[in-house]
């Protein structure tokens, strides 16, 4: 199955994505992880991306699309994948649609992990990652609201959209996601 996982920063997407890919044997494509690895390796793309990431802004679409095109061409993606953190803008979603239409491998679902914004701010402040200063958190939530949320409607129109409640225990949320994805098998 080919699934995209959409959710604001702090929703717990990474944790759930990790468990879901193990359960279904999918490749885990986290663009945040890819960008952090590129940044740590000081590649040209990584250093460019860091200018945006450190302020909480999204990196430019061309840059992330280049990374994803390359990644989706790798053999482990043939058995299905969970895209975690991509697409995050309508332009990225359109680029993905074109890419997948060319390959004849459309998406099966777009799964939203829904968490209210007050809860996100609380969780992110608690997590205290180096890039989690209040100003950066605000910027990232803002980017989600303005640039990523329109995707919910985009995928709803394509009849791919499913939303699950992101409040509860890790296991409860996992069970909700599983119930949705089991139907795709
Ligand atoms: P979080 O879910 O905590 O915001 P991620 O690990 O998914 O964090 O991403 C970290 C940062 O990487 C983002 O704030 C953004 O700058 C950049 N990034 C990741 N994925 C994308 C994307 N698809 N488009 C643009 N920027 C991205």
């Amino acid at each position: 199955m080919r699934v995209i996982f959409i959710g604001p920063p702090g929703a717990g997407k990474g944790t759930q994505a990790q468990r879901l890919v193990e359960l279904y044997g999918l490749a885990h494509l986290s663009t945040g992880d890819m960008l952090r690895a590129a940044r740590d390796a000081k590649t040209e793309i990584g250093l460019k991306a860091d200018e945006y990431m450190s302020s909480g802004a999204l990196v430019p679409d061309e840059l992330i699309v280049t990374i994803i095109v390359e990644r989706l061409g790798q053999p482990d993606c043939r058995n299905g994948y969970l895209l975690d953190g991509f697409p995050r803008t309508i332009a990225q979603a359109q680029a993905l649609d074109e890419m997948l239409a060319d390959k004849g491998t459309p998406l099966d679902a777009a799964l939203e992990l829904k968490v209210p914004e007050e809860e996100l701010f609380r969780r992110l402040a608690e997590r205290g990652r180096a890039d989690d200063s209040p100003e950066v958190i605000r910027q990232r939530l803002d980017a989600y609201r303005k640039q990523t949320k329109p995707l919910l409607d985009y995928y709803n129109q394509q009849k791919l959209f499913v939303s699950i409640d992101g409040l509860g225990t890790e296991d409860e949320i996992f069970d909700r996601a599983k119930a949705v994805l089991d139907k795709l098998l």
Side-chain angles (χ1 to χ4, degrees), residues 1 8 28 69 99 101 104 114 138 144 149 156 170 172 184:
M1 64 175 89
H28 183 190
V69 170
M99 215 182 312
K114 196 178 169 73
R138 222 179 315 269
Y144 182 77
K149 268 197 156 172
N156 199 21
E170 196 182 306
E172 281 165 354
L184 303 175

Side-chain angles (χ1 to χ4, degrees), residues 117-144:
E117 198 159 313
E118 318 80 70
E119 170 69 9
L120 295 170
F121 198 86
R122 202 183 58 71
R123 290 189 197 174
L124 288 166
E126 218 163 66
R127 188 167 75 179
R129 213 163 66 183
D131 58 350
D132 281 349
S133 76
E135 189 40 44
V136 171
I137 293 175
R138 222 179 315 269
Q139 174 69 39
R140 282 161 59 213
L141 291 174
D142 225 49
Y144 182 77

